[in-house]
Amino acid sequence: MTILQKVKNFVRARSIHVAYVDVGSCNGCDIEVLACLSPRYDIEQYGIFVHNNPREADILLVIGAFTPGWEEKLRGLWEKIPPPKAAIAIGNCPISGCLFARPRTLVDPPVAKHIPIAAQVPGCPPRPTEIISAILAVAPTVFEDYEVKAK
Ligand code: SF4
């Protein structure tokens, strides 16, 4: 492995940029993601930074049962994120539709049908610690030795 690759591995493990998108939720999971920023959970101590510019993101958190209006928007957002990248489904909604998956509703879960999902965090809603753990678990598999793997 080159020195440059070693430096990239070191930096990427401590600088994970996360964007999030709500494709039709009750806001419960959004609140848990925002709680990750609070002093109690302090997501930045793990080298994870939340902002919402997809062009600068590494990991996309997807929240909510998929609603039809997101068909093109979600894929467009995913394509704006430069590789290496990963998406994580947060909560039961993007996994199964949760309480929104009922007869005669328009939701179309799972989100994995629409963009590649690297990990799922079940729960209604999941805890901030579970969200942070998932990000830390996915990041090394996506970023480590990315250039070497891409060859
Ligand atoms: S999983 Fe539960 S808390 Fe999260 S958005 Fe869906 S209904 Fe709300």
Side-chain angles (χ1 to χ4, degrees):
M1 186 191 311
T2 64
I3 290 181
L4 181 61
Q5 184 64 61
K6 283 182 183 166
V7 171
K8 282 186 178 178
N9 287 350
F10 179 84
V11 172
R12 280 178 177 152
R14 289 157 185 78
S15 179
I16 305 162
H17 289 258
V18 172
Y20 71 93
V21 60
D22 178 349
V23 294
S25 83
C26 75
N27 277 350
C29 288
D30 305 65
I31 290 168
E32 299 304 320
V33 169
L34 292 179
C36 295
L37 294 165
S38 68
R40 178 168 181 178
Y41 298 104
D42 186 18
I43 199 170
E44 294 189 358
Q45 72 182 300
Y46 305 103
I48 304 169
F49 303 94
V50 178
H51 58 89
N52 254 353
N53 182 353
R55 296 187 194 284
E56 295 178 24
D58 304 307
I59 291 184
L60 179 66
L61 304 183
V62 186
I63 300 159
F66 192 90
T67 46
W70 280 96
E71 188 70 57
E72 287 178 21
K73 287 183 203 160
L74 180 62
R75 180 151 292 280
L77 206 158
W78 173 246
E79 285 169 1
K80 283 191 178 91
I81 301 175
K85 61 185 173 182
I88 302 176
I90 303 295
N92 290 348
C93 275
I95 299 170
S96 67
C98 199
L99 53 83
F100 298 109
R102 296 177 179 179
R104 294 183 293 282
T105 58
L106 293 174
V107 298
D108 190 21
V111 167
K113 280 197 304 196
H114 306 279
I115 61 168
I117 294 292
Q120 299 178 335
V121 188
C124 183
R127 295 177 179 176
T129 48
E130 294 166 338
I131 296 169
I132 293 170
S133 297
I135 296 168
L136 292 174
V138 162
T141 62
V142 175
F143 305 128
E144 197 168 74
D145 300 337
Y146 173 71
E147 283 77 7
V148 176
K149 290 180 200 162
K151 281 182 185 171

